[in-house]
Amino acid sequence: MSRTTGGAAEVGLHWVLADWQEGQAAASGQGEAGAAAGQGDVTWTQRVFDTLAWTTAGGDFSPVASASATVAGIGSYTWESTSQLVADVQGWLDDPDSDHGWLLQGDESKTRTAKRFHSDENDDEAIRPVLMVEYTQ
């Protein structure tokens, strides 16, 4: 996490249930103001801007978190393995078309709790998110 307002907060990983498209919009500066959506971007109401809407505003995702972690200050965080995370990954292996990733969701009922996490496009490869799968038998 590279930026935060407020204190510690629980953030859940939720399986995204519908395909979405990562477009080209990029916020300038620290990103607080966002950027205008262009063709193909994902928005609050559209999974592919100007083409496909989410069934539910905010995205189509499992209402139950597959795992949760408490995040506070700037730094790296780990969502520990749960039986549901294992089931998610197994589901993606069994049906690759169902792999739409996870959504990070905090407590949206509170104000001033924004958290900014790095993406796989961060210039610094060392701080990009990583999915680590350890197989044991």
Side-chain angles (χ1 to χ4, degrees):
M1 183 172 62
S2 62
R3 203 155 185 202
T4 180
T5 60
E10 185 172 301
V11 175
L13 285 176
H14 297 259
W15 185 352
V16 178
L17 303 174
D19 195 19
W20 56 279
Q21 182 173 327
E22 186 173 358
Q24 298 298 314
S28 61
Q30 295 296 315
E32 295 91 354
Q39 180 60 40
D41 287 324
V42 65
T43 70
W44 182 256
T45 58
Q46 300 195 338
R47 53 194 180 118
V48 180
F49 183 71
D50 214 22
T51 304
L52 290 172
W54 292 109
T55 303
T56 304
D60 302 335
F61 57 91
S62 173
V64 177
S66 298
S68 294
T70 299
V71 300
I74 293 170
S76 295
Y77 291 91
T78 300
W79 280 258
E80 297 295 334
S81 182
T82 66
S83 59
Q84 188 57 54
L85 280 182
V86 172
D88 291 355
V89 173
Q90 186 62 57
W92 297 338
L93 289 170
D94 294 343
D95 179 12
D97 290 339
S98 71
D99 181 0
H100 310 298
W102 285 297
L103 172 143
L104 293 170
Q105 183 184 43
D107 185 348
E108 301 299 318
S109 70
K110 297 179 181 175
T111 60
R112 301 197 45 80
T113 60
K115 310 289 184 204
R116 181 178 70 189
F117 290 88
H118 294 290
S119 75
D120 66 343
E121 296 172 345
N122 193 289
D123 290 337
D124 184 349
E125 289 184 35
I127 57 177
R128 292 177 183 169
V130 175
L131 172 63
M132 294 175 55
V133 177
E134 181 178 318
Y135 176 77
T136 57
Q137 202 169 7

